[in-house]
Amino acid sequence: MNCQEALSLLYEIIDKEASEINVNEVQRHREQCQHCFEVYRVEMAIQDFINKKLKDGNPSGSLEALKAKVSLKLDEIDGQQTAKENHPFFRRTTAVLAAAASLVILIGGAFFLRDLYWHQTEYLPLEQAHVAIADDPTTFVNDAGTFSTILRVRDELGYDVSASVHGFSLIGGQHEEIMGVAMAHFVYSHDNEIVSVFVVPSEWFEISDDLKDSQVVRNQIIFFDHYCRGCHLVFHKAGLAVVVTATTDHNIELLDFIPGHTII
Amino acid sequence: MADGKAEGVKKRKSFEAEALQHMEALYRTALRMTKNESDAEDLVQEAYVKAYRFWDRFEPGSNCRAWLFKIMTNIFINEYRSKTRSPMSVNVDELDDNFLYGQLAVDQTTRNPEQELFSRIFDDDVKKAVESLPDDFRLVVVLAFLEGFSYQEIADIMDLQLGTVKSRLHRGRKLLQKGLWDYAIKNGYIKGTTK
């Protein structure tokens, strides 16, 4: 092995990537060649110096705090998963996506939407309505009932139903009675996914405290980006409240399902 | 339901046992990637969140550390890189191989001429010199020098050809040596003092 060959293997040897044969041959050459011996020695010293300086002196104080933060994040993920597991409805919808808009034509009594969002173990009428559709979207057909529902939300609430949103097509809409409140339910689907949208007059809509924590303002729209099992987002504006639910793809921009408020 | 919960606890336990021990390494690399503590912390957190979500895809017994670095490197490249892109100030091809040695080797009779040079390169200079490398070289240099990953592991982490890793590391190393030389000069090293 000559000097040129020996030096061409320098960094492979320093990086411990050279074959044993090459390592041995270079070793033999170095023992006989002072120049190569010195190049190798200095380059190895430089490499050790660099590696050591890179490793040493990094802020270790913040590591404990970082560990705690990561733990919290993991707790959050665990919490979401536990909630999902506790509700078989939402597990069954993983292959489907539906969008439904429902118009509240109220039937008396103090009824607050926040009750629908009672997290822990309570019965969730909106989610249940959504899941029932997700389980069997064929119950929704784009027929005369859908048409009359579209007209009612438009005329009474000024809510224009979109025929399609980001590839999701409206597959139907109907009035439903949920906890004594009549609602119009529109369903959108795309592939096997379903998103639900619920529309409510604001006077029947009260934001619960835990939802308030999730208040977000975007494009001058106040909404509550909230994860509660499948119920994902609440949209709120004067005179009208819209609840959008999606059970599967959490990356869907649910706000875009609200006509006239497409978020860029 | 109880099974689901037990499964969840098991998942968390195995993740904590295998993945969390690499946080110090991920963080020090994140520091060199993002160049500041706040972004580095965010990057590490994002990496762990993603890793946890995909934990069922991790093959038990395979290299967890490399897997975590791959996740973190991907996040960095996709989300952070544009913010920290640095211009290339030196034409690497004009630099000689064994750059520092070439500068030092003024007198073969001096023993350990590199020691005087090292004494003029202060603790943070090496980190700063690494951080001033262009992104493509910097990532490879950090993964190799700071974390000791093999060429093949780096190729896997960054989805690069082996040859690309070698070439980037070679060029990165030359640039780094040039950067260290500049720091040494700035800190008062006088060429030839080792005579």
Side-chain angles (χ1 to χ4, degrees):
Chain A
M1 180 172 273
N2 61 31
C3 291
Q4 198 190 344
E5 287 167 331
L7 292 179
S8 74
L9 289 165
L10 172 69
Y11 291 128
E12 271 184 45
I13 285 177
I14 285 182
D15 293 336
K16 300 184 175 58
E17 298 276 350
S19 69
E20 203 183 326
I21 296 171
N22 281 338
V23 171
N24 290 338
E25 284 199 25
V26 167
Q27 181 62 32
R28 268 202 299 280
H29 175 82
R30 280 167 59 193
E31 282 163 8
Q32 298 154 9
C33 171
Q34 205 205 334
H35 172 68
C36 287
F37 182 88
E38 187 66 2
V39 175
Y40 265 82
R41 194 194 58 75
V42 169
E43 285 282 356
M44 284 173 172
I46 292 168
Q47 191 66 51
D48 288 346
F49 176 77
I50 290 171
N51 293 358
K52 186 170 186 312
K53 292 290 181 189
L54 273 180
K55 275 203 183 78
D56 291 350
N58 287 307
S60 58
S62 43
L63 201 62
E64 284 308 310
L66 184 58
K67 274 186 181 151
K69 283 185 200 166
V70 167
S71 264
L72 275 179
K73 293 261 182 199
L74 301 187
D75 287 346
E76 275 174 34
I77 297 171
D78 284 342
Q80 288 170 9
Q81 282 171 353
T82 306
K84 267 192 253 177
E85 280 157 9
N86 285 342
H87 290 266
F89 288 139
F90 283 84
R91 302 188 75 185
R92 283 163 66 195
T93 62
T94 49
V96 203
L97 171 105
S102 53
L103 158 64
V104 174
I105 301 152
L106 117 91
I107 307 192
F111 169 73
F112 297 107
L113 250 189
R114 70 164 170 194
D115 292 335
L116 301 174
Y117 283 85
W118 194 248
H119 287 212
Q120 298 303 323
T121 54
E122 300 300 324
Y123 171 73
L124 296 174
L126 286 186
E127 290 185 359
Q128 211 178 32
H130 166 67
V131 166
I133 293 308
D135 279 351
D136 186 8
T138 60
T139 59
F140 265 60
V141 284
N142 208 342
D143 60 4
T146 296
F147 188 61
S148 78
T149 310
I150 291 172
L151 289 182
R152 289 189 81 157
V153 291
R154 191 192 68 191
D155 295 344
E156 296 180 31
L157 294 176
Y159 180 88
D160 287 317
V161 178
S162 304
S164 69
V165 181
H166 293 329
F168 289 87
S169 306
L170 182 71
I171 63 170
Q174 68 188 26
H175 286 108
E176 284 178 20
E177 197 168 281
I178 298 172
M179 288 181 76
V181 178
M183 299 185 170
H185 201 161
F186 297 102
V187 178
Y188 293 80
S189 83
H190 175 55
D191 290 335
N192 288 321
E193 296 176 307
I194 289 182
V195 167
S196 287
V197 183
F198 295 88
V199 186
V200 186
S202 286
E203 60 263 38
W204 304 105
F205 186 88
E206 188 176 298
I207 305 295
S208 66
D209 288 337
D210 40 353
L211 272 182
K212 278 174 184 157
D213 290 339
S214 64
Q215 177 169 323
V216 183
V217 180
R218 226 163 58 188
N219 288 10
Q220 297 168 337
I221 300 168
I222 298 171
F223 66 99
F224 303 88
D225 200 353
H226 179 66
Y227 190 94
C228 175
R229 285 165 294 180
C231 269
H232 228 194
L233 178 138
V234 178
F235 168 78
H236 181 237
K237 69 167 188 154
L240 189 64
V242 181
V243 182
V244 188
T245 70
T247 52
T248 52
D249 187 345
H250 299 158
N251 293 320
I252 300 167
E253 181 47 86
L254 295 176
L255 262 189
D256 286 355
F257 283 82
I258 296 153
H261 296 96
T262 300
I263 299 306
I264 300 148
Chain B
M1 203 184 295
D3 283 354
K5 200 167 185 180
E7 201 60 35
V9 171
K10 203 176 140 200
K11 174 188 171 187
R12 176 73 176 261
K13 280 213 156 112
S14 72
F15 186 78
E16 288 186 346
E18 289 198 56
L20 292 190
Q21 58 180 315
H22 302 296
M23 193 180 295
E24 187 173 358
L26 287 168
Y27 182 56
R28 70 186 177 200
T29 286
L31 280 170
R32 302 287 83 79
M33 283 178 169
T34 64
K35 307 178 190 178
N36 75 78
E37 291 185 28
S38 155
D39 280 349
E41 286 186 16
D42 287 350
L43 179 57
V44 170
Q45 285 184 64
E46 275 186 65
Y48 271 111
V49 164
K50 199 162 181 190
Y52 192 49
R53 290 191 192 281
F54 290 105
W55 187 236
D56 53 342
R57 295 195 201 169
F58 173 72
E59 271 177 52
S62 64
N63 188 342
C64 183
R65 184 161 167 269
W67 185 73
L68 290 167
F69 271 88
K70 184 177 175 70
I71 290 173
M72 186 170 85
T73 305
N74 275 336
I75 297 173
F76 174 76
I77 288 171
N78 292 330
E79 296 177 27
Y80 289 78
R81 182 146 76 154
S82 57
K83 285 198 290 187
T84 55
R85 191 172 282 280
S86 46
M88 173 100 106
S89 54
V90 178
N91 185 350
V92 63
D93 296 322
E94 287 172 4
L95 297 174
D96 293 332
D97 281 349
N98 315 127
F99 177 86
L100 276 180
Y101 177 82
Q103 301 299 320
L104 277 178
V106 287
D107 184 349
Q108 294 288 344
T109 62
T110 309
R111 285 179 69 84
N112 302 346
E114 73 281 359
Q115 294 304 329
E116 172 62 18
L117 179 82
F118 293 164
S119 72
R120 294 293 176 170
I121 298 172
F122 303 149
D123 280 353
D124 282 346
D125 291 345
V126 178
K127 295 188 179 80
K128 283 188 274 182
V130 165
E131 287 179 3
S132 68
L133 295 175
D135 285 340
D136 288 343
F137 300 153
R138 184 159 49 95
L139 294 187
V140 172
V141 162
V142 169
L143 291 172
F145 296 177
L146 179 57
E147 300 303 338
F149 282 117
S150 70
Y151 297 169
Q152 187 57 55
E153 283 171 325
I154 296 171
D156 293 341
I157 287 171
M158 296 186 65
D159 286 324
L160 295 173
Q161 301 282 327
L162 200 59
T164 310
V165 172
K166 284 186 198 173
S167 131
R168 286 188 187 179
L169 192 56
H170 184 73
R171 293 149 72 90
R173 189 176 333 236
K174 273 205 277 187
L175 279 178
L176 181 57
Q177 289 201 355
K178 172 71 166 68
L180 294 179
W181 176 252
D182 291 344
Y183 273 112
I185 298 290
K186 194 178 126 213
N187 294 333
Y189 178 81
I190 298 160
K191 192 175 174 180
T193 53
T194 52
K195 269 183 189 173

